[in-house]
Amino acid sequence: MEKKEDLLSRIVVDENILAGKPIIRGYRISVEQVLKSLAAGIGQADLLDNYPELEPEDISACLFYAADLVEQEKVYKVA
């Protein structure tokens, strides 16, 4: 199993691809697209079938990426 840092290195930002959205290893597959698919109930096996470029580690990288964003989120009490 790859380390978190190694997995996250699979996520790249290229301003010339998908307007700079985070993508997987330079492919035109966005992190957002993978996360929304998983949230909609599409299983990992189906994602891998539908996107032959994807590897299981790419899906793990997307999940770590999302978790890191949520971890950094600040929540403030509003009166």
Side-chain angles (χ1 to χ4, degrees):
M1 183 177 205
E2 290 188 53
K3 292 182 192 177
K4 177 182 172 183
E5 296 80 23
D6 294 333
L7 289 170
L8 287 174
S9 71
R10 293 171 168 267
I11 307 298
V12 297
V13 174
D14 182 335
E15 64 185 29
N16 296 311
I17 303 174
L18 295 182
K21 286 185 174 267
I23 56 173
I24 299 165
R25 294 183 293 120
Y27 293 112
R28 296 184 66 81
I29 304 170
S30 69
V31 171
E32 175 185 8
Q33 186 176 0
V34 171
L35 294 172
K36 283 184 174 182
S37 295
L38 292 170
I42 297 172
Q44 179 172 329
D46 289 332
L47 271 175
L48 295 172
D49 285 343
N50 291 334
Y51 299 97
E53 306 89 354
L54 277 183
E55 299 174 355
E57 295 82 4
D58 297 324
I59 296 172
S60 295
C62 290
L63 294 171
F64 271 127
Y65 185 87
D68 280 355
L69 287 177
V70 171
E71 181 179 24
Q72 294 172 24
E73 184 177 353
K74 305 275 189 243
V75 179
Y76 300 98
K77 184 177 179 179
V78 178

Short mmCIF file of all heavy atoms in Angstrom, two decimals, residues 6-48:
data_model
loop_
_atom_site.label_atom_id
_atom_site.label_comp_id
_atom_site.label_asym_id
_atom_site.label_seq_id
_atom_site.Cartn_x
_atom_site.Cartn_y
_atom_site.Cartn_z
N ASP A 6 2.62 9.67 -1.32
CA ASP A 6 2.78 9.10 -2.66
C ASP A 6 1.46 9.12 -3.41
O ASP A 6 1.41 9.41 -4.61
CB ASP A 6 3.32 7.67 -2.58
CG ASP A 6 4.73 7.61 -2.04
OD1 ASP A 6 5.48 8.60 -2.20
OD2 ASP A 6 5.08 6.58 -1.45
N LEU A 7 0.38 8.79 -2.69
CA LEU A 7 -0.93 8.81 -3.33
C LEU A 7 -1.31 10.22 -3.77
O LEU A 7 -1.78 10.44 -4.88
CB LEU A 7 -2.00 8.25 -2.39
CG LEU A 7 -1.93 6.74 -2.15
CD1 LEU A 7 -2.88 6.34 -1.03
CD2 LEU A 7 -2.26 5.98 -3.42
N LEU A 8 -1.07 11.19 -2.88
CA LEU A 8 -1.43 12.58 -3.21
C LEU A 8 -0.62 13.13 -4.38
O LEU A 8 -1.07 14.03 -5.07
CB LEU A 8 -1.30 13.47 -1.98
CG LEU A 8 -2.38 13.29 -0.93
CD1 LEU A 8 -2.08 14.12 0.31
CD2 LEU A 8 -3.76 13.63 -1.48
N SER A 9 0.55 12.57 -4.63
CA SER A 9 1.35 13.03 -5.77
C SER A 9 0.68 12.67 -7.10
O SER A 9 1.05 13.20 -8.14
CB SER A 9 2.76 12.45 -5.71
OG SER A 9 2.75 11.06 -5.99
N ARG A 10 -0.33 11.81 -7.07
CA ARG A 10 -1.08 11.46 -8.26
C ARG A 10 -2.03 12.59 -8.68
O ARG A 10 -2.50 12.62 -9.81
CB ARG A 10 -1.90 10.18 -8.02
CG ARG A 10 -1.05 8.96 -7.83
CD ARG A 10 -1.89 7.77 -7.37
NE ARG A 10 -1.13 6.54 -7.48
CZ ARG A 10 -1.15 5.74 -8.54
NH1 ARG A 10 -1.90 6.01 -9.57
NH2 ARG A 10 -0.41 4.65 -8.55
N ILE A 11 -2.36 13.47 -7.74
CA ILE A 11 -3.26 14.59 -8.02
C ILE A 11 -2.43 15.77 -8.47
O ILE A 11 -1.52 16.21 -7.77
CB ILE A 11 -4.07 14.98 -6.75
CG1 ILE A 11 -4.77 13.76 -6.14
CG2 ILE A 11 -5.05 16.10 -7.06
CD1 ILE A 11 -5.80 13.10 -7.01
N VAL A 12 -2.74 16.28 -9.65
CA VAL A 12 -2.00 17.41 -10.20
C VAL A 12 -2.95 18.51 -10.64
O VAL A 12 -4.13 18.27 -10.88
CB VAL A 12 -1.10 16.98 -11.40
CG1 VAL A 12 -0.06 15.98 -10.95
CG2 VAL A 12 -1.93 16.40 -12.52
N VAL A 13 -2.40 19.70 -10.72
CA VAL A 13 -3.16 20.86 -11.22
C VAL A 13 -2.39 21.39 -12.42
O VAL A 13 -1.20 21.70 -12.32
CB VAL A 13 -3.31 21.94 -10.13
CG1 VAL A 13 -3.96 23.19 -10.71
CG2 VAL A 13 -4.11 21.40 -8.96
N ASP A 14 -3.07 21.46 -13.54
CA ASP A 14 -2.48 21.97 -14.77
C ASP A 14 -3.48 22.97 -15.35
O ASP A 14 -4.58 22.59 -15.73
CB ASP A 14 -2.22 20.82 -15.75
CG ASP A 14 -1.57 21.26 -17.04
OD1 ASP A 14 -1.72 22.45 -17.44
OD2 ASP A 14 -0.92 20.42 -17.68
N GLU A 15 -3.08 24.22 -15.38
CA GLU A 15 -4.02 25.26 -15.83
C GLU A 15 -4.50 25.03 -17.26
O GLU A 15 -5.52 25.59 -17.67
CB GLU A 15 -3.37 26.64 -15.71
CG GLU A 15 -2.16 26.84 -16.60
CD GLU A 15 -1.48 28.16 -16.38
OE1 GLU A 15 -1.54 28.69 -15.26
OE2 GLU A 15 -0.88 28.65 -17.34
N ASN A 16 -3.82 24.19 -18.01
CA ASN A 16 -4.21 23.90 -19.39
C ASN A 16 -5.18 22.72 -19.51
O ASN A 16 -5.63 22.40 -20.61
CB ASN A 16 -2.97 23.63 -20.24
CG ASN A 16 -2.08 24.84 -20.33
OD1 ASN A 16 -2.54 25.94 -20.61
ND2 ASN A 16 -0.80 24.65 -20.04
N ILE A 17 -5.47 22.06 -18.40
CA ILE A 17 -6.38 20.92 -18.42
C ILE A 17 -7.52 21.19 -17.44
O ILE A 17 -7.29 21.46 -16.26
CB ILE A 17 -5.65 19.61 -18.03
CG1 ILE A 17 -4.47 19.35 -18.98
CG2 ILE A 17 -6.62 18.43 -18.07
CD1 ILE A 17 -3.62 18.17 -18.58
N LEU A 18 -8.74 21.13 -17.95
CA LEU A 18 -9.95 21.34 -17.15
C LEU A 18 -9.90 22.62 -16.33
O LEU A 18 -10.30 22.65 -15.16
CB LEU A 18 -10.22 20.14 -16.24
CG LEU A 18 -10.56 18.81 -16.93
CD1 LEU A 18 -10.84 17.73 -15.90
CD2 LEU A 18 -11.73 18.95 -17.89
N ALA A 19 -9.37 23.67 -16.92
CA ALA A 19 -9.33 25.00 -16.30
C ALA A 19 -8.62 25.01 -14.95
O ALA A 19 -8.95 25.79 -14.07
CB ALA A 19 -10.74 25.57 -16.17
N GLY A 20 -7.67 24.11 -14.77
CA GLY A 20 -6.89 24.10 -13.54
C GLY A 20 -7.49 23.33 -12.39
O GLY A 20 -6.99 23.39 -11.26
N LYS A 21 -8.57 22.59 -12.63
CA LYS A 21 -9.14 21.76 -11.56
C LYS A 21 -8.16 20.63 -11.24
O LYS A 21 -7.43 20.18 -12.12
CB LYS A 21 -10.47 21.14 -12.01
CG LYS A 21 -11.62 22.11 -12.05
CD LYS A 21 -12.91 21.37 -12.38
CE LYS A 21 -14.09 22.29 -12.28
NZ LYS A 21 -14.70 22.26 -10.97
N PRO A 22 -8.16 20.14 -10.01
CA PRO A 22 -7.30 19.01 -9.67
C PRO A 22 -7.70 17.79 -10.50
O PRO A 22 -8.89 17.45 -10.59
CB PRO A 22 -7.56 18.77 -8.19
CG PRO A 22 -8.17 20.04 -7.69
CD PRO A 22 -8.89 20.64 -8.85
N ILE A 23 -6.70 17.17 -11.11
CA ILE A 23 -6.94 16.01 -11.97
C ILE A 23 -6.02 14.87 -11.56
O ILE A 23 -5.10 15.04 -10.77
CB ILE A 23 -6.71 16.35 -13.46
CG1 ILE A 23 -5.30 16.91 -13.67
CG2 ILE A 23 -7.77 17.33 -13.96
CD1 ILE A 23 -4.92 17.13 -15.11
N ILE A 24 -6.26 13.71 -12.15
CA ILE A 24 -5.49 12.53 -11.81
C ILE A 24 -4.40 12.29 -12.86
O ILE A 24 -4.71 12.09 -14.04
CB ILE A 24 -6.41 11.31 -11.71
CG1 ILE A 24 -7.43 11.56 -10.61
CG2 ILE A 24 -5.62 10.04 -11.45
CD1 ILE A 24 -8.59 10.64 -10.62
N ARG A 25 -3.15 12.36 -12.42
CA ARG A 25 -1.97 12.04 -13.22
C ARG A 25 -1.97 12.64 -14.63
O ARG A 25 -1.51 12.02 -15.57
CB ARG A 25 -1.80 10.51 -13.30
CG ARG A 25 -1.48 9.88 -11.97
CD ARG A 25 -1.24 8.39 -12.04
NE ARG A 25 -2.43 7.64 -12.39
CZ ARG A 25 -2.53 6.87 -13.47
NH1 ARG A 25 -1.55 6.71 -14.29
NH2 ARG A 25 -3.66 6.22 -13.69
N GLY A 26 -2.51 13.83 -14.78
CA GLY A 26 -2.48 14.51 -16.07
C GLY A 26 -3.59 14.11 -17.02
O GLY A 26 -3.70 14.65 -18.11
N TYR A 27 -4.42 13.16 -16.62
CA TYR A 27 -5.56 12.77 -17.45
C TYR A 27 -6.68 13.80 -17.28
O TYR A 27 -6.72 14.54 -16.30
CB TYR A 27 -6.08 11.38 -17.06
CG TYR A 27 -5.13 10.27 -17.36
CD1 TYR A 27 -4.52 9.55 -16.35
CD2 TYR A 27 -4.84 9.92 -18.68
CE1 TYR A 27 -3.64 8.51 -16.63
CE2 TYR A 27 -3.96 8.89 -18.96
CZ TYR A 27 -3.37 8.19 -17.95
OH TYR A 27 -2.50 7.17 -18.22
N ARG A 28 -7.60 13.80 -18.19
CA ARG A 28 -8.75 14.70 -18.10
C ARG A 28 -9.84 14.08 -17.22
O ARG A 28 -11.02 14.10 -17.56
CB ARG A 28 -9.27 15.03 -19.49
CG ARG A 28 -8.26 15.78 -20.34
CD ARG A 28 -8.84 16.16 -21.69
NE ARG A 28 -9.91 17.13 -21.56
CZ ARG A 28 -9.77 18.44 -21.38
NH1 ARG A 28 -8.56 18.95 -21.31
NH2 ARG A 28 -10.80 19.22 -21.29
N ILE A 29 -9.43 13.53 -16.12
CA ILE A 29 -10.35 12.96 -15.12
C ILE A 29 -10.13 13.75 -13.84
O ILE A 29 -9.05 13.71 -13.25
CB ILE A 29 -10.06 11.46 -14.87
CG1 ILE A 29 -10.14 10.67 -16.18
CG2 ILE A 29 -11.04 10.91 -13.84
CD1 ILE A 29 -9.65 9.24 -16.06
N SER A 30 -11.16 14.50 -13.43
CA SER A 30 -10.99 15.37 -12.27
C SER A 30 -11.27 14.62 -10.97
O SER A 30 -12.02 13.63 -10.93
CB SER A 30 -11.92 16.58 -12.38
OG SER A 30 -13.27 16.18 -12.23
N VAL A 31 -10.67 15.11 -9.92
CA VAL A 31 -10.94 14.60 -8.58
C VAL A 31 -12.43 14.75 -8.29
O VAL A 31 -13.07 13.83 -7.77
CB VAL A 31 -10.09 15.35 -7.52
CG1 VAL A 31 -10.52 15.00 -6.11
CG2 VAL A 31 -8.61 15.07 -7.74
N GLU A 32 -12.98 15.87 -8.66
CA GLU A 32 -14.41 16.14 -8.46
C GLU A 32 -15.26 15.05 -9.13
O GLU A 32 -16.22 14.55 -8.54
CB GLU A 32 -14.77 17.51 -9.02
CG GLU A 32 -16.22 17.85 -8.97
CD GLU A 32 -16.53 19.18 -9.65
OE1 GLU A 32 -15.65 19.78 -10.29
OE2 GLU A 32 -17.69 19.61 -9.54
N GLN A 33 -14.93 14.71 -10.34
CA GLN A 33 -15.67 13.70 -11.10
C GLN A 33 -15.65 12.35 -10.38
O GLN A 33 -16.68 11.69 -10.26
CB GLN A 33 -15.03 13.58 -12.49
CG GLN A 33 -15.72 12.71 -13.47
CD GLN A 33 -15.02 12.78 -14.83
OE1 GLN A 33 -14.03 13.47 -15.02
NE2 GLN A 33 -15.55 12.04 -15.77
N VAL A 34 -14.50 11.96 -9.88
CA VAL A 34 -14.38 10.69 -9.17
C VAL A 34 -15.19 10.73 -7.88
O VAL A 34 -15.95 9.80 -7.57
CB VAL A 34 -12.89 10.36 -8.88
CG1 VAL A 34 -12.77 9.16 -7.95
CG2 VAL A 34 -12.14 10.11 -10.18
N LEU A 35 -15.06 11.81 -7.11
CA LEU A 35 -15.78 11.91 -5.84
C LEU A 35 -17.30 11.93 -6.05
O LEU A 35 -18.03 11.27 -5.30
CB LEU A 35 -15.33 13.16 -5.08
CG LEU A 35 -13.88 13.15 -4.60
CD1 LEU A 35 -13.51 14.51 -4.03
CD2 LEU A 35 -13.64 12.04 -3.60
N LYS A 36 -17.76 12.66 -7.04
CA LYS A 36 -19.20 12.70 -7.30
C LYS A 36 -19.71 11.33 -7.74
O LYS A 36 -20.82 10.94 -7.38
CB LYS A 36 -19.53 13.76 -8.35
CG LYS A 36 -19.52 15.16 -7.81
CD LYS A 36 -19.95 16.16 -8.85
CE LYS A 36 -20.06 17.55 -8.24
NZ LYS A 36 -20.52 18.54 -9.23
N SER A 37 -18.92 10.62 -8.50
CA SER A 37 -19.31 9.27 -8.93
C SER A 37 -19.44 8.34 -7.73
O SER A 37 -20.42 7.60 -7.60
CB SER A 37 -18.29 8.70 -9.92
OG SER A 37 -18.27 9.45 -11.10
N LEU A 38 -18.46 8.39 -6.84
CA LEU A 38 -18.51 7.57 -5.63
C LEU A 38 -19.72 7.94 -4.77
O LEU A 38 -20.42 7.06 -4.26
CB LEU A 38 -17.22 7.72 -4.82
CG LEU A 38 -15.95 7.14 -5.46
CD1 LEU A 38 -14.73 7.57 -4.66
CD2 LEU A 38 -16.03 5.63 -5.57
N ALA A 39 -19.97 9.25 -4.63
CA ALA A 39 -21.10 9.72 -3.83
C ALA A 39 -22.44 9.29 -4.44
O ALA A 39 -23.41 9.07 -3.70
CB ALA A 39 -21.05 11.24 -3.69
N ALA A 40 -22.48 9.14 -5.75
CA ALA A 40 -23.71 8.73 -6.43
C ALA A 40 -23.92 7.21 -6.38
O ALA A 40 -24.90 6.70 -6.91
CB ALA A 40 -23.68 9.20 -7.89
N GLY A 41 -22.98 6.52 -5.74
CA GLY A 41 -23.15 5.09 -5.58
C GLY A 41 -22.44 4.23 -6.61
O GLY A 41 -22.61 3.01 -6.63
N ILE A 42 -21.68 4.87 -7.49
CA ILE A 42 -20.92 4.10 -8.46
C ILE A 42 -19.73 3.47 -7.73
O ILE A 42 -18.96 4.16 -7.08
CB ILE A 42 -20.45 4.99 -9.63
CG1 ILE A 42 -21.67 5.54 -10.37
CG2 ILE A 42 -19.52 4.23 -10.57
CD1 ILE A 42 -21.36 6.58 -11.41
N GLY A 43 -19.61 2.18 -7.83
CA GLY A 43 -18.56 1.47 -7.11
C GLY A 43 -17.19 1.64 -7.74
O GLY A 43 -17.06 2.01 -8.92
N GLN A 44 -16.17 1.33 -6.96
CA GLN A 44 -14.80 1.46 -7.44
C GLN A 44 -14.58 0.58 -8.67
O GLN A 44 -13.95 1.02 -9.64
CB GLN A 44 -13.82 1.08 -6.34
CG GLN A 44 -12.38 1.16 -6.77
CD GLN A 44 -11.40 0.98 -5.63
OE1 GLN A 44 -11.70 1.33 -4.50
NE2 GLN A 44 -10.26 0.43 -5.93
N ALA A 45 -15.09 -0.63 -8.67
CA ALA A 45 -14.90 -1.53 -9.81
C ALA A 45 -15.51 -0.94 -11.08
O ALA A 45 -14.91 -1.01 -12.16
CB ALA A 45 -15.50 -2.90 -9.51
N ASP A 46 -16.69 -0.33 -10.95
CA ASP A 46 -17.33 0.29 -12.12
C ASP A 46 -16.54 1.49 -12.61
O ASP A 46 -16.41 1.69 -13.82
CB ASP A 46 -18.76 0.71 -11.78
CG ASP A 46 -19.70 -0.48 -11.63
OD1 ASP A 46 -19.44 -1.53 -12.25
OD2 ASP A 46 -20.68 -0.37 -10.88
N LEU A 47 -16.03 2.28 -11.68
CA LEU A 47 -15.20 3.43 -12.08
C LEU A 47 -13.97 2.96 -12.86
O LEU A 47 -13.61 3.54 -13.88
CB LEU A 47 -14.75 4.22 -10.85
CG LEU A 47 -15.65 5.33 -10.36
CD1 LEU A 47 -15.10 5.92 -9.08
CD2 LEU A 47 -15.80 6.40 -11.40
N LEU A 48 -13.34 1.92 -12.36
CA LEU A 48 -12.14 1.40 -13.02
C LEU A 48 -12.48 0.83 -14.39
O LEU A 48 -11.68 0.94 -15.32
CB LEU A 48 -11.46 0.36 -12.14
CG LEU A 48 -10.90 0.89 -10.82
CD1 LEU A 48 -10.43 -0.26 -9.94
CD2 LEU A 48 -9.79 1.89 -11.05
#
